[in-house]
C-alpha cells in the first residue's frame, strides 16, 4: 500500500505521515526532502519558491517511485504539496487499487479561529527555518487552492473545520 498525503502548507501532512509511520511501520518520504536534495545538489536550477514548476519537475520522479513500490509489493508513505491535482491519470487501475490518497485542507473559519495555534505548531515535526511569509490570508488562499483543485478532479478533500486533533487521529487509525 502506498499512502499519498498532500495539502496546503501547515495542514499537518508531516504529522499525519509520522503518525502513520508509527502505527504501520511504513517508511515515508517527504517530497520536500527530495526537492531540497535536488536543489542543493545542483540537479536543478529551480528554487524552493518555484512551486508550480517544482510540481512539474518532481511529480514524474515521485510517480515512478510510487509505481516501483507497488510493483515490489512494498508499503510507502509519500507526503508533500507537490502532487498534481490530476495525479490519478498517471496510474492504471492495478496501481490505483494500491494507493490511498489523503488531501488535507483547513476551512477559512478554522484558520481565522486558530491561526496563532497553527503558527505555534508549525515546527512540531520539522524545524521550519523561515515562517515570516505566513499570514492568515495567504494560508486561506493556499487551502482554497487545494480544495478547489482536488475537488474539481473528483478527489475527496479532508476538511479541518473545528477539531484538528480528531481529524488527524481519525485518519491515522
Amino acid at each position: 500500500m502506498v499512502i499519498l498525503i498532500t495539502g496546503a502548507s501547515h495542514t499537518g501532512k508531516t504529522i499525519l505521515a509520522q503518525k502513520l509511520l508509527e502505527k504501520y511501520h511504513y517508511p515515508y518520504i517527504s517530497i520536500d526532502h527530495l526537492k531540497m536534495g535536488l536543489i542543493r545538489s545542483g540537479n536543478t536550477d529551480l528554487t524552493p519558491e518555484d512551486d508550480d514548476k517544482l510540481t512539474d519537475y518532481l511529480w514524474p520522479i515521485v510517480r515512478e517511485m510510487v509505481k516501483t513500490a507497488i510493483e515490489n509489493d512494498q508499503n510507502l508513505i509519500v507526503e508533500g504539496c507537490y502532487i498534481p491535482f490530476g495525479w490519478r491519470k498517471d496510474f492504471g487501475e492495478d496501481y490505483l487499487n494500491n494507493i490511498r490518497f489523503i488531501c488535507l485542507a483547513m476551512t477559512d473559519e478554522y484558520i481565522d479561529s486558530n491561526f496563532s495555534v497553527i503558527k505555534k505548531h508549525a515546527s512540531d515535526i520539522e524545524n521550519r527555518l523561515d515562517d515570516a511569509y505566513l499570514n492568515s490570508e495567504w494560508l486561506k488562499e493556499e487551502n482554497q487552492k487545494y480544495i478547489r483543485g482536488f475537488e474539481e478532479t473528483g478527489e475527496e478533500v479532508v476538511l479541518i473545520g473545528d477539531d484538528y486533533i480528531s481529524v488527524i487521529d481519525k485518519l491515522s487509525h
Side-chain angles (χ1 to χ4, degrees):
M1 173 65 60
V2 173
I3 303 170
L4 294 178
I5 303 170
T6 194
S9 182
H10 292 76
T11 54
K13 298 178 297 292
T14 308
I15 288 173
L16 179 57
Q18 182 68 35
K19 286 183 174 284
L20 291 168
L21 168 118
E22 291 169 3
K23 179 175 182 175
Y24 295 111
H25 306 284
Y26 293 0
Y28 85 80
I29 182 166
S30 166
I31 302 173
D32 278 340
H33 292 171
L34 176 62
K35 168 189 77 176
M36 291 310 298
L38 290 164
I39 290 171
R40 288 180 172 175
S41 67
N43 282 291
T44 181
D45 292 329
L46 297 172
T47 70
E49 288 77 35
D50 293 324
D51 281 341
D52 291 338
K53 291 177 184 175
L54 280 164
T55 298
D56 293 341
Y57 179 69
L58 294 169
W59 178 244
I61 299 166
V62 172
R63 176 191 68 218
E64 297 308 316
M65 291 170 65
V66 168
K67 287 179 180 178
T68 301
I70 292 169
E71 291 162 359
N72 291 339
D73 199 26
Q74 294 173 302
N75 299 311
L76 182 64
I77 300 165
V78 179
E79 67 90 9
C81 60
Y82 303 105
I83 298 173
F85 299 134
W87 69 272
R88 282 187 189 269
K89 70 177 175 25
D90 293 332
F91 297 98
E93 278 304 309
D94 288 346
Y95 291 110
L96 290 171
N97 290 333
N98 290 286
I99 298 173
R100 178 180 174 201
F101 176 77
I102 301 170
C103 178
L104 299 173
M106 297 174 179
T107 64
D108 287 355
E109 296 77 19
Y110 182 83
I111 294 167
D112 286 337
S113 299
N114 296 282
F115 182 72
S116 62
V117 175
I118 294 166
K119 195 161 179 144
K120 176 182 162 194
H121 288 283
S123 292
D124 281 358
I125 299 291
E126 60 187 338
N127 185 24
R128 294 180 187 267
L129 299 178
D130 182 14
D131 244 358
Y133 66 91
L134 185 65
N135 63 59
S136 62
E137 290 309 309
W138 180 86
L139 194 56
K140 287 191 279 190
E141 287 174 23
E142 283 295 297
N143 277 270
Q144 287 302 316
K145 179 176 86 174
Y146 278 83
I147 293 167
R148 283 189 310 272
F150 280 110
E151 285 182 346
E152 286 174 6
T153 60
E155 296 292 347
E156 178 182 345
V157 176
V158 177
L159 290 177
I160 300 165
D162 53 11
D163 187 359
Y164 174 84
I165 292 171
S166 68
V167 170
I168 297 299
D169 284 348
K170 182 180 176 185
L171 289 170
S172 63
H173 284 96

